[in-house]
């Protein structure tokens, strides 16, 4: 993740979350998901490893149909 080219002004952190876990949460089968990632210190552009728990309030509010459409498109590739 540290090799990811980031624009400091637009990124406070970056996390990997399993797509299957996100879909389970969106479908109501899980209350939250765990993300492994980094926090970016904007004043120094340094990063710190970080683990966080995310729930549906951390995601853009779209319908389940939208998320299933995205899931389907990803799975086709």
């Amino acid at each position: 993740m540290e090799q990811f080219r980031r624009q400091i002004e637009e990124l406070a952190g970056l996390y990997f979350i399993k797509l299957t876990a996100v879909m389970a949460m969106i479908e109501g089968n899980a209350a939250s998901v765990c993300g492994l990632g980094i926090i970016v210190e904007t004043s120094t552009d340094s990063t710190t490893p970080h683990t966080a728990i995310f729930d549906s309030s951390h995601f853009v509010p779209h319908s389940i149909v939208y998320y299933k459409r995205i899931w389907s498109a990803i799975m086709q590739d």
Side-chain angles (χ1 to χ4, degrees):
M1 285 188 133
E2 287 78 13
Q3 294 176 350
F4 183 81
R5 296 176 89 180
R6 58 196 179 274
Q7 189 170 350
I8 297 171
E9 305 82 26
E10 296 184 4
L11 185 70
L14 184 64
Y15 295 87
F16 283 117
I17 301 173
K18 289 184 177 185
L19 188 55
T20 53
V22 172
M23 286 309 298
M25 183 185 66
I26 297 298
E27 292 173 337
N29 298 319
S32 60
V33 294
C34 181
L36 304 175
I38 57 172
I39 293 177
V40 178
E41 176 55 53
T42 56
S43 62
T44 62
D45 192 29
S46 62
T47 60
T48 304
H50 190 255
T51 301
I53 302 297
F54 300 96
D55 62 30
S56 59
S57 71
H58 291 99
F59 291 78
V60 177
H62 287 294
S63 70
I64 191 169
V65 172
Y66 172 84
Y67 282 107
K68 286 184 176 186
R69 190 176 303 142
I70 298 299
W71 170 266
S72 177
I74 291 169
M75 296 309 291
Q76 287 179 5
D77 289 338

